[in-house]
Amino acid sequence: MYEKIYYGRIAMARRLPPLNAIRAFEAAARHLSFTRASEELNVTPAAISHQVKGLEDWFGLKLFKRRNREILMTEAGQMLLPGVRDALDLLESTTQRLSASDGGSELRITCMPSFASKWLVPRLSHFRTLYPDIDVLLSTEERMVDLDVEPFDIGIRSGWGQYPGLTVYRLFDDAVFPVCSPGLLNGDKPLRRPQDLAGHVLLHDDYPVGWTEWLAAAGVSGVDPKRGPTFDNSAMLLQAAAEGLGVAMARHALAYADLLAGRLVRPFSITLASDFAYYLVHVPRVAEQPKVAAFRDWLIAEADAYRAEQDAG
């Protein structure tokens, strides 16, 4: 592929390899697999192999060693890869800045399902009011999305904050405590002391801090912390508690709206701090994109307001 660049009256040709072949090479080098590269680029493995072979012919060098079902990079391939990655990163970031520079743009966010439904979505109308030209595309998944590879601008995560290669902003800390429905609190077996939990169903999710830790902190014995149903989604856990199925160990951020609305109540005041916190993350190259900066600043302000409400309460 040749591009003519004119300087005065002199036309100079820039000699560049085919872009499709470059993309195929980079994906194959990253995965060390033609098959996985083909899945990423939505083509056949044969097409990837053909593109790589064309690139090798263009350079006159072997870029991969093919061994049965695996491929290994040659010295020439290893030399080429860093420059290819830098070029593709620059092209991607330039394209994204251009897309965000006009009146409307899409902001792609990946987030945990429960946090999205219980904390983020109820606040998104505020962002929409401030930035009506930015369309939020929200994807909810429990798995940790690779923001350097997959088509997302921002991630919201719960954990210890160790996300190598990403720009990380701590939003707020996490804490857990029991919650239940108002009817269960004052029902046939009222919850007055933590020891009263012996007569109630305990509800669980897969959060690393749960009933075992809370009962130990409360000094309660005689209550089996493992009994009761478990939910793989914390929003469903809170819904089960609101419906009176039992007493749930809830995370503050997720239960906050239900507590304010009176759908859930706290039978006891004991709160157990967690080492987990919530974070906004993105790859460094998107930091200055207007849509990313707008959402980042807005979410940090929302998190600050949320923390202030907790301090005041």
Side-chain angles (χ1 to χ4, degrees):
M1 180 172 63
Y2 293 88
E3 176 189 358
K4 288 187 177 181
I5 304 177
Y6 291 90
Y7 297 94
R9 296 183 178 179
I10 301 175
M12 301 178 62
R14 177 176 284 170
R15 187 170 180 266
L16 298 172
L19 180 57
N20 283 342
I22 286 292
R23 292 180 66 219
F25 163 75
E26 192 275 335
R30 181 159 25 88
H31 294 296
L32 287 180
S33 166
F34 287 166
T35 299
R36 292 181 63 188
S38 71
E39 292 171 352
E40 177 182 320
L41 299 179
N42 197 29
V43 296
T44 65
I48 295 291
S49 180
H50 177 74
Q51 292 283 1
V52 170
K53 178 63 167 59
L55 192 61
E56 290 176 326
D57 291 343
W58 194 90
F59 281 110
L61 296 168
K62 288 293 183 184
L63 303 175
F64 293 101
K65 298 176 183 177
R66 296 159 175 80
R67 295 181 177 177
N68 296 326
R69 295 185 177 181
E70 69 174 358
I71 58 173
L72 299 174
M73 296 185 67
T74 65
E75 184 176 347
Q78 293 173 0
M79 186 181 301
L80 176 63
L81 182 59
V84 165
R85 281 181 171 165
D86 289 345
L88 290 177
D89 285 346
L90 179 59
L91 180 59
E92 181 183 25
S93 63
T94 302
T95 301
Q96 290 174 339
R97 285 197 303 271
L98 184 62
S99 298
S101 64
D102 61 13
S105 59
E106 293 180 346
L107 181 68
R108 297 158 296 181
I109 301 171
T110 175
C111 182
M112 304 80 65
S114 296
F115 186 82
S117 64
K118 305 300 287 186
W119 197 94
L120 180 59
V121 170
R123 292 168 168 78
L124 277 181
S125 62
H126 304 163
F127 181 77
R128 182 68 177 175
T129 299
L130 293 172
Y131 302 97
D133 293 330
I134 299 178
D135 292 325
V136 173
L137 278 64
L138 180 61
S139 175
T140 59
E141 298 185 68
E142 294 289 355
R143 70 182 180 91
M144 189 176 295
V145 171
D146 187 345
L147 294 177
D148 203 37
V149 176
E150 300 187 54
F152 293 100
D153 303 298
I154 286 174
I156 300 173
R157 295 179 175 173
S158 171
W160 288 286
Q162 299 173 352
Y163 306 112
L166 298 179
T167 302
V168 180
Y169 299 86
R170 191 184 187 104
L171 298 174
F172 47 80
D173 296 333
D174 215 350
V176 297
F177 46 76
V179 297
C180 65
S181 68
L184 194 66
L185 177 67
N186 300 305
D188 296 336
K189 299 177 180 179
L191 287 163
R192 300 289 181 259
R193 309 174 303 156
Q195 289 79 4
D196 295 335
L197 290 166
H200 290 269
V201 175
L202 303 186
L203 306 178
H204 311 258
D205 60 9
D206 58 0
Y207 193 64
V209 181
W211 281 110
T212 298
E213 294 77 12
W214 189 89
L215 289 169
V220 177
S221 59
V223 177
D224 182 0
K226 302 296 184 183
R227 63 181 171 83
T230 298
F231 300 83
D232 65 359
N233 181 292
S234 298
M236 289 192 295
L237 169 77
L238 296 177
Q239 183 63 31
E243 297 294 339
L245 271 66
V247 186
M249 185 58 57
R251 287 181 262 176
H252 192 285
L254 305 187
Y256 183 65
D258 289 317
L259 290 168
L260 284 182
R263 291 185 292 269
L264 291 172
V265 295
R266 294 184 58 174
F268 316 113
S269 61
I270 300 171
T271 299
L272 190 61
S274 169
D275 291 335
F276 272 30
Y278 292 95
Y279 299 88
L280 181 149
V281 298
H282 58 68
V283 294
R285 65 176 178 268
V286 305
E288 300 307 317
Q289 290 184 15
K291 60 183 180 181
V292 171
F295 187 85
R296 180 184 62 224
D297 294 346
W298 170 81
L299 189 62
I300 291 173
E302 287 289 323
D304 290 344
Y306 167 74
R307 287 200 310 273
E309 289 175 7
Q310 312 322 304
D311 294 342

